[in-house]
Amino acid sequence: MRYLTDRKRAVGKGAAHTGTEHHWYMSASAVALAFLVPTWLYIFGHALGQSHEAVVATFARPFPAILTGLVLFVSMRHFAKGATMMIEDYSHGSTRRGLVILAHSLSYVITATGLYALVKIAL
């Protein structure tokens, strides 16, 4: 005799077999980005058009550097999860696996490149 409730049997049985995990992650990261991106755009917009030395001085300070790193990391994770959800919905088989790997690889390369550039500026 199985002692599982109906709810316990239903958890994780959505179309992608992950329940609402992706939805909650996307919602949380969207809220985080809603606060991070306007703040970052203000700092970036202020630095835009200034001399190279002024831009390096702006992003060498701790708050703009940390904020830029957070925006890069959170936005690329948001992109990777969103692209994965879209790919899982519209493609099948080995094409799906290849596209998911491509989306994650692209997000990791962009994150690594951006963080490398940020570290070179900040140090």
Side-chain angles (χ1 to χ4, degrees):
M1 180 172 193
R2 296 182 61 179
Y3 293 105
L4 294 176
T5 63
D6 291 335
R7 181 183 184 280
K8 186 65 176 179
R9 279 191 291 272
V11 170
K13 300 297 184 192
H17 302 288
T18 56
T20 59
E21 176 186 342
H22 286 289
H23 174 72
W24 280 107
Y25 179 84
M26 293 299 285
S27 296
S29 64
V31 169
L33 286 170
F35 290 105
L36 290 173
V37 170
T39 308
W40 182 80
L41 282 175
Y42 177 77
I43 293 170
F44 179 76
H46 181 69
L48 193 65
Q50 294 184 359
S51 67
H52 180 264
E53 292 78 22
V55 172
V56 169
T58 298
F59 285 99
R61 294 194 324 252
F63 181 72
I66 291 170
L67 182 66
T68 302
L70 279 173
V71 167
L72 269 170
F73 183 77
V74 174
S75 63
M76 285 299 106
R77 292 304 304 148
H78 186 81
F79 163 77
K81 289 276 190 176
T84 300
M85 287 172 44
M86 180 189 65
I87 291 165
E88 287 174 347
D89 287 344
Y90 295 110
S91 65
H92 306 286
S94 59
T95 305
R96 173 192 286 185
R97 283 189 292 272
L99 289 173
V100 168
I101 290 170
L102 178 68
H104 280 268
S105 298
L106 179 65
S107 71
Y108 290 146
V109 166
I110 291 171
T111 302
T113 304
L115 291 178
Y116 175 75
L118 185 61
V119 166
K120 292 234 355 157
I121 289 173
L123 296 180

